Each structure stands twice: as C-alpha cells, then as structure tokens.
Amino acid sequence: MSAAASVPAAPPRVSHALAAAALALLLGLQPLATDVMMPALPLLARDLAAPMPAVQMTMAALILAFGIAQLVWGPLADRIGRRPVLLAGVALYTAAAIGAALAADVGTLVAWRTLQGVALAAAVVVARAMLRDLYEPHEGARVMALALSGLGLIAIASPVFGGLVAGWGGWRATLAVIGAGSAAILAFLALRLPETIVQRNAHATAPGPLLAAWGQVARHPTFLAWALLTACTYGGLYTILAGSSFVYMNRFGLGAGEYGLAMATGSVAYLGGTVVCRRWILHHGMSRSVRRAALFTLAGGLGTAGAALAGIESLWAYLLPQALFCFGHGIHQPCGQAGAVGPFPRGAGAASALAGFVLAFTAFCIGRWLGLVLGADVRPYALTVAFCAVATTLVAWTLVRRLPEAVHK
C-alpha cells in the first residue's frame, strides 16, 4: 500500500447551512416525541384511566431507552458508518409513533414509547458524531448553536401545535402527527445527507476495545465537565417538559391550546439563548459563555422555587422564571454537546453515546421522581427545577471553569 493510500480521506464538504438543517431536524425528533405530547398527557391520563406514575412512564421510559440505546448505536455508527444507523433509526421512530397512536392501554403505549426512545437514540447520537466528523469543537459549537436555533423554532411550534392537535383530535392524533413529521424528516435525510465518517473502526463494537474506549472517555476531565453540565441543564428542562402540563392545566386551568402557547414563551427564550450563544462563543469562548449563562439558569430556578414557596397564584410568576431557565439552556446545550465529544475525533460515536446516556439517565430519574410527587402541590415541581438550576450553575462555575479556554475572534 502506498503512503498516499494509507492517508484517510477528507470528510465530505457539507455547508454549515445543510449541516445545521440536518442537525436541527435530527435533534428535533426529541421535542417531537416530548413537547408535542406534553399537552396530551392529562388527556391521556383521563382517556386510559391511568395513574400518574404510569402516565409519567410514557415519557420516562422513552428517555431511559433513549439513553441506554445510545450505548449501542454510537459504537455501531463508528463501525458501519453514520448513514445506515441514522436511516434505520428514523424509520423505526416513525413506525413506533404509529404503533403508539394505536395502543389500547397504557402498558402497550409505554412499550411503543420505549421502542421510540431506542430509535430516537440512533438519530441523536449520530447527529452529535457527525458534527465531530465535519468540524473541530469550536467551529462545531457554533454550527450546533445555529442548528439549535432551528431546533428552537421546532420547540416553539411543538407545544402550540401539540395543544391544537390534542384539543382537536385527542392524544392519539398527536402521536399520528409525530409519525408523519418523522416520515418527512426521513425523506429529507435520505435525499440530502451524505455519509460523514472518514475512517470506520472495525473494532468499535468489540467488547474489550469498547469498554476501554468508554473508560478513556469517562475519565477525561473535558468530557466529565461538559457531559455533567448538559445532564444538569437538561434535567431542569425535562422537569418543565414532563411536569408543567399538570401544573399549568390542572392548577391554573389552561386548556391544551393555551398551555401550548404558554410553553412557547420558554421556547422563544431558548431560541434567543442559541442566538446569543453563537455570538458569545465567538467573543468569549465556550467556558466563559456557559458561566455567564449560569446566571440566567440560577435566576430561573430560584425564581420558580420562590414563587411556589411564597404561594403566588399567578401564571406569570412561573412563566418568567421558566423563560430565564430556557434562555440559559439555549447556551449550555450547544456548548455542552460539542464540548463532550471534542477530545475524541476517532471515537465521536462512543463519546456521544456515553454523554447521551448520562443525560437520559438523569432525565429518567427525574421522571420517576415526578411520578411520585406531582399532584395539587406545585412545590415539588418548582423545587426540582431549582435543584437542577443550582447543579448546572455549580458545574459551570467549577468543573467547566477549570478547562483550558480558546477564544476565537
């Protein structure tokens, strides 16, 4: 073999716009599975006569399966390529959404949602790995922020649209809409997105090398800092996603459509955070950006807890802190997702999978907790948001602060 032949090929030339659009659509499958369903959860509980823990399992089981399955899909994508894993995952996601829409009882619904979480994992883990295939971490964080601006638009539309659909056709209609949306995304990806991996790793799924790779990733201080930041901030967001419908609809009497509009305020704030993120990364770097964002996160969490502990009976007392938290999340998420895989150009799939597992396991634990404590009292919901906000802030101001910083102007 010649020396030239031994040099790995360069990654495909993919424009920032196409990469951001593909990432937004792939990551958008998650709010399709969660945000669109939020207004339908109380309707689902009444229609299937399901207790609160079972209703929360329709979300928590999806998230847990999402986390565990990434540990399989990530190494598989390193071995056989991004595109086959991606297309198989989105196709399975579509089929699972349709199966869930036809479920006759909550147990069957949970089973279909679990399968949907497995499929969702393929899309998300490949999205993060593709970002590392194409770009260095600093540039990747800016592309991710651009993608998350697009995701913000999806997040704004999802609860509003979900509320309208649930109000019109019930919870089954929301799942049918999720299936139709994912089928359209599958068609776009099949037609436009190339394979991005430069050099496949034939040993990526072998147990010995895989465990060694995960051990190397898990011990890396850069991975630990960014993965924990992402898990903590998403924990707070998941609390809002899984718990706010019962607070806003049951306590404040909002209808499904009104609740969707209420949640859109947080999505608008999140979109603003992703826009600010791109500018802050350029001028201040990733570490300083998330330390600044932590101030908004902390204010949002403590504001939510303060409103609940003071017994304030105003919807805006919860919506405004929610917006602050979501603004901070819009900065933490792109930095955290790009930063966690940054040190591992040859094992981006494995690193992405491990980061995703940490995030999903955190969300699953919170979902199980909410299933036990959610009720007429708003304080458990509010204190959970505050706990995640404080944890996010501590990680940003300690572990992330210690990382080396490179500012690109």
Side-chain angles (χ1 to χ4, degrees):
M1 181 181 293
S2 68
S6 66
V7 178
R13 296 181 64 86
V14 177
S15 69
H16 283 191
L18 176 58
L23 285 169
L25 291 173
L26 289 171
L27 299 176
L29 290 172
Q30 190 166 346
L32 276 181
T34 55
D35 297 24
V36 171
M37 278 295 292
M38 287 188 301
L41 292 179
L43 306 178
L44 182 158
R46 290 196 294 268
D47 186 39
L48 298 181
M52 179 65 72
V55 172
Q56 285 297 324
M57 275 300 291
T58 65
M59 296 281 282
L62 179 145
I63 292 296
L64 181 62
F66 167 67
I68 294 174
Q70 289 185 64
L71 299 177
V72 177
W73 291 121
L76 188 61
D78 283 340
R79 178 176 179 176
I80 69 172
R82 314 303 187 202
R83 188 174 161 85
V85 170
L86 177 62
L87 297 181
V90 180
L92 181 60
Y93 178 101
T94 303
I98 301 303
L102 300 174
D105 56 73
V106 71
T108 305
L109 176 60
V110 169
W112 279 113
R113 291 281 282 174
T114 301
L115 184 60
Q116 193 174 22
V118 171
L120 175 63
V124 173
V125 75
V126 168
R128 291 195 295 256
M130 289 172 63
L131 186 72
R132 186 60 186 91
D133 292 342
L134 296 170
Y135 309 109
E136 291 299 317
H138 192 273
E139 185 181 9
R142 284 187 286 165
V143 174
M144 178 63 85
L146 179 61
L148 292 181
S149 295
L151 178 62
L153 295 176
I154 297 174
I156 291 169
S158 291
V160 176
F161 188 57
L164 293 174
V165 172
W168 167 73
W171 65 271
R172 296 182 189 276
T174 62
L175 285 162
V177 166
I178 292 170
S182 61
I185 291 172
L186 176 62
F188 171 82
L189 297 172
L191 293 172
R192 296 296 308 276
L193 197 63
E195 177 60 70
T196 62
I197 194 169
V198 173
Q199 187 175 6
R200 292 169 176 81
N201 181 358
H203 305 290
T205 57
L210 180 57
L211 291 174
W214 280 341
Q216 181 185 14
V217 170
R219 292 190 300 269
H220 201 290
T222 299
F223 172 84
L224 285 172
W226 290 118
L228 287 175
L229 179 84
T230 305
C232 291
T233 184
Y234 186 76
L237 182 70
Y238 182 81
T239 303
I240 295 170
L241 296 178
S244 61
S245 60
F246 296 94
V247 174
Y248 294 162
M249 296 174 73
N250 293 347
R251 184 180 182 89
F252 294 108
L254 299 186
E258 293 171 320
Y259 169 72
L261 290 173
M263 289 302 295
T265 61
S267 299
V268 170
Y270 168 79
L271 176 61
T274 64
V275 172
V276 170
C277 181
R278 297 201 300 273
R279 179 176 179 84
W280 281 7
I281 288 174
L282 188 62
H283 294 288
H284 305 292
M286 291 164 59
S287 175
R288 280 193 284 268
S289 294
V290 300
R291 297 205 301 270
R292 289 181 168 206
L295 293 171
F296 295 92
T297 302
L298 186 63
L302 296 182
T304 303
L309 294 174
I312 299 175
E313 294 293 332
S314 168
L315 179 63
W316 286 104
Y318 295 89
L319 287 181
L320 291 177
Q322 175 184 290
L324 289 174
F325 185 94
C326 290
F327 178 85
H329 183 70
I331 298 168
H332 295 311
Q333 190 177 32
C335 292
Q337 291 196 6
V341 300
F344 312 102
R346 289 290 309 279
S352 175
L354 197 57
F357 173 77
V358 173
L359 180 150
F361 182 74
T362 301
F364 173 78
C365 292
I366 289 173
R368 298 301 291 154
W369 162 252
L370 292 176
L372 296 174
V373 302
L374 275 184
D377 190 347
V378 72
R379 287 176 296 180
Y381 163 81
L383 291 174
T384 304
V385 174
F387 174 82
C388 293
V390 171
T392 303
T393 303
L394 289 176
V395 172
W397 289 354
T398 57
L399 297 181
V400 174
R401 185 186 185 92
R402 296 171 189 156
L403 299 177
E405 182 66 275
V407 178
H408 296 254
K409 294 186 178 182

mmCIF file of all heavy atoms in Angstrom, residues 374-393:
data_model
loop_
_atom_site.group_PDB
_atom_site.id
_atom_site.type_symbol
_atom_site.label_atom_id
_atom_site.label_comp_id
_atom_site.label_asym_id
_atom_site.label_seq_id
_atom_site.Cartn_x
_atom_site.Cartn_y
_atom_site.Cartn_z
ATOM 1 N N LEU A 374 -45.773 14.556 41.877
ATOM 2 C CA LEU A 374 -46.650 15.528 41.231
ATOM 3 C C LEU A 374 -48.078 15.360 41.716
ATOM 4 O O LEU A 374 -48.589 14.246 41.833
ATOM 5 C CB LEU A 374 -46.609 15.370 39.706
ATOM 6 C CG LEU A 374 -45.498 16.083 38.953
ATOM 7 C CD1 LEU A 374 -45.679 15.900 37.459
ATOM 8 C CD2 LEU A 374 -45.440 17.566 39.291
ATOM 9 N N GLY A 375 -48.720 16.494 41.954
ATOM 10 C CA GLY A 375 -50.109 16.489 42.406
ATOM 11 C C GLY A 375 -50.603 17.916 42.501
ATOM 12 O O GLY A 375 -50.184 18.781 41.726
ATOM 13 N N ALA A 376 -51.467 18.174 43.465
ATOM 14 C CA ALA A 376 -52.015 19.521 43.606
ATOM 15 C C ALA A 376 -50.976 20.520 44.108
ATOM 16 O O ALA A 376 -51.070 21.721 43.824
ATOM 17 C CB ALA A 376 -53.218 19.487 44.556
ATOM 18 N N ASP A 377 -49.986 20.034 44.849
ATOM 19 C CA ASP A 377 -48.952 20.903 45.408
ATOM 20 C C ASP A 377 -47.904 21.192 44.341
ATOM 21 O O ASP A 377 -47.286 20.271 43.781
ATOM 22 C CB ASP A 377 -48.314 20.222 46.606
ATOM 23 C CG ASP A 377 -47.397 21.156 47.403
ATOM 24 O OD1 ASP A 377 -47.073 22.243 46.895
ATOM 25 O OD2 ASP A 377 -47.009 20.766 48.522
ATOM 26 N N VAL A 378 -47.657 22.474 44.051
ATOM 27 C CA VAL A 378 -46.722 22.857 42.997
ATOM 28 C C VAL A 378 -45.276 22.848 43.486
ATOM 29 O O VAL A 378 -44.333 22.895 42.685
ATOM 30 C CB VAL A 378 -47.097 24.252 42.441
ATOM 31 C CG1 VAL A 378 -46.758 25.349 43.446
ATOM 32 C CG2 VAL A 378 -46.412 24.532 41.112
ATOM 33 N N ARG A 379 -45.068 22.760 44.792
ATOM 34 C CA ARG A 379 -43.713 22.922 45.335
ATOM 35 C C ARG A 379 -42.738 21.827 44.902
ATOM 36 O O ARG A 379 -41.574 22.146 44.597
ATOM 37 C CB ARG A 379 -43.783 23.021 46.864
ATOM 38 C CG ARG A 379 -44.348 24.350 47.362
ATOM 39 C CD ARG A 379 -44.482 24.372 48.858
ATOM 40 N NE ARG A 379 -45.454 23.379 49.327
ATOM 41 C CZ ARG A 379 -45.758 23.186 50.606
ATOM 42 N NH1 ARG A 379 -45.160 23.910 51.554
ATOM 43 N NH2 ARG A 379 -46.654 22.265 50.954
ATOM 44 N N PRO A 380 -43.131 20.544 44.851
ATOM 45 C CA PRO A 380 -42.153 19.539 44.378
ATOM 46 C C PRO A 380 -41.659 19.814 42.962
ATOM 47 O O PRO A 380 -40.465 19.644 42.669
ATOM 48 C CB PRO A 380 -42.940 18.229 44.458
ATOM 49 C CG PRO A 380 -43.960 18.465 45.515
ATOM 50 C CD PRO A 380 -44.358 19.904 45.356
ATOM 51 N N TYR A 381 -42.558 20.234 42.076
ATOM 52 C CA TYR A 381 -42.164 20.601 40.709
ATOM 53 C C TYR A 381 -41.171 21.755 40.734
ATOM 54 O O TYR A 381 -40.101 21.702 40.105
ATOM 55 C CB TYR A 381 -43.411 20.973 39.905
ATOM 56 C CG TYR A 381 -43.141 21.748 38.641
ATOM 57 C CD1 TYR A 381 -42.752 21.097 37.474
ATOM 58 C CD2 TYR A 381 -43.279 23.140 38.608
ATOM 59 C CE1 TYR A 381 -42.500 21.817 36.309
ATOM 60 C CE2 TYR A 381 -43.037 23.854 37.450
ATOM 61 C CZ TYR A 381 -42.642 23.185 36.311
ATOM 62 O OH TYR A 381 -42.390 23.901 35.157
ATOM 63 N N ALA A 382 -41.507 22.812 41.453
ATOM 64 C CA ALA A 382 -40.670 24.014 41.463
ATOM 65 C C ALA A 382 -39.309 23.745 42.093
ATOM 66 O O ALA A 382 -38.273 24.233 41.609
ATOM 67 C CB ALA A 382 -41.390 25.133 42.213
ATOM 68 N N LEU A 383 -39.273 22.985 43.170
ATOM 69 C CA LEU A 383 -38.004 22.700 43.836
ATOM 70 C C LEU A 383 -37.115 21.797 42.996
ATOM 71 O O LEU A 383 -35.887 21.883 43.076
ATOM 72 C CB LEU A 383 -38.271 22.071 45.207
ATOM 73 C CG LEU A 383 -38.902 23.007 46.249
ATOM 74 C CD1 LEU A 383 -39.262 22.250 47.517
ATOM 75 C CD2 LEU A 383 -37.973 24.177 46.576
ATOM 76 N N THR A 384 -37.725 20.934 42.180
ATOM 77 C CA THR A 384 -36.922 20.108 41.278
ATOM 78 C C THR A 384 -36.251 20.964 40.217
ATOM 79 O O THR A 384 -35.075 20.763 39.891
ATOM 80 C CB THR A 384 -37.798 19.026 40.624
ATOM 81 O OG1 THR A 384 -38.451 18.251 41.640
ATOM 82 C CG2 THR A 384 -36.951 18.096 39.763
ATOM 83 N N VAL A 385 -36.982 21.926 39.657
ATOM 84 C CA VAL A 385 -36.381 22.853 38.696
ATOM 85 C C VAL A 385 -35.231 23.615 39.361
ATOM 86 O O VAL A 385 -34.144 23.769 38.783
ATOM 87 C CB VAL A 385 -37.435 23.839 38.143
ATOM 88 C CG1 VAL A 385 -36.771 24.895 37.248
ATOM 89 C CG2 VAL A 385 -38.512 23.104 37.364
ATOM 90 N N ALA A 386 -35.453 24.078 40.591
ATOM 91 C CA ALA A 386 -34.421 24.839 41.297
ATOM 92 C C ALA A 386 -33.191 23.983 41.570
ATOM 93 O O ALA A 386 -32.052 24.453 41.426
ATOM 94 C CB ALA A 386 -34.986 25.387 42.605
ATOM 95 N N PHE A 387 -33.398 22.726 41.961
ATOM 96 C CA PHE A 387 -32.270 21.832 42.219
ATOM 97 C C PHE A 387 -31.406 21.680 40.972
ATOM 98 O O PHE A 387 -30.167 21.748 41.040
ATOM 99 C CB PHE A 387 -32.792 20.470 42.685
ATOM 100 C CG PHE A 387 -31.709 19.427 42.839
ATOM 101 C CD1 PHE A 387 -30.933 19.376 43.976
ATOM 102 C CD2 PHE A 387 -31.472 18.516 41.821
ATOM 103 C CE1 PHE A 387 -29.932 18.420 44.113
ATOM 104 C CE2 PHE A 387 -30.472 17.559 41.942
ATOM 105 C CZ PHE A 387 -29.701 17.516 43.091
ATOM 106 N N CYS A 388 -32.038 21.456 39.824
ATOM 107 C CA CYS A 388 -31.280 21.293 38.574
ATOM 108 C C CYS A 388 -30.562 22.582 38.186
ATOM 109 O O CYS A 388 -29.449 22.542 37.646
ATOM 110 C CB CYS A 388 -32.219 20.851 37.440
ATOM 111 S SG CYS A 388 -32.903 19.193 37.678
ATOM 112 N N ALA A 389 -31.186 23.720 38.454
ATOM 113 C CA ALA A 389 -30.550 25.001 38.144
ATOM 114 C C ALA A 389 -29.300 25.215 38.990
ATOM 115 O O ALA A 389 -28.255 25.651 38.492
ATOM 116 C CB ALA A 389 -31.548 26.139 38.371
ATOM 117 N N VAL A 390 -29.400 24.895 40.275
ATOM 118 C CA VAL A 390 -28.235 25.046 41.158
ATOM 119 C C VAL A 390 -27.125 24.083 40.732
ATOM 120 O O VAL A 390 -25.937 24.454 40.693
ATOM 121 C CB VAL A 390 -28.641 24.800 42.618
ATOM 122 C CG1 VAL A 390 -27.415 24.731 43.520
ATOM 123 C CG2 VAL A 390 -29.582 25.905 43.103
ATOM 124 N N ALA A 391 -27.484 22.839 40.388
ATOM 125 C CA ALA A 391 -26.481 21.869 39.955
ATOM 126 C C ALA A 391 -25.793 22.324 38.675
ATOM 127 O O ALA A 391 -24.561 22.212 38.541
ATOM 128 C CB ALA A 391 -27.140 20.506 39.749
ATOM 129 N N THR A 392 -26.560 22.840 37.714
ATOM 130 C CA THR A 392 -25.987 23.349 36.467
ATOM 131 C C THR A 392 -24.997 24.475 36.745
ATOM 132 O O THR A 392 -23.891 24.518 36.176
ATOM 133 C CB THR A 392 -27.100 23.863 35.540
ATOM 134 O OG1 THR A 392 -28.038 22.816 35.286
ATOM 135 C CG2 THR A 392 -26.534 24.367 34.219
ATOM 136 N N THR A 393 -25.384 25.379 37.622
ATOM 137 C CA THR A 393 -24.537 26.527 37.950
ATOM 138 C C THR A 393 -23.236 26.083 38.607
ATOM 139 O O THR A 393 -22.147 26.588 38.280
ATOM 140 C CB THR A 393 -25.303 27.493 38.878
ATOM 141 O OG1 THR A 393 -26.519 27.892 38.237
ATOM 142 C CG2 THR A 393 -24.473 28.716 39.193
#
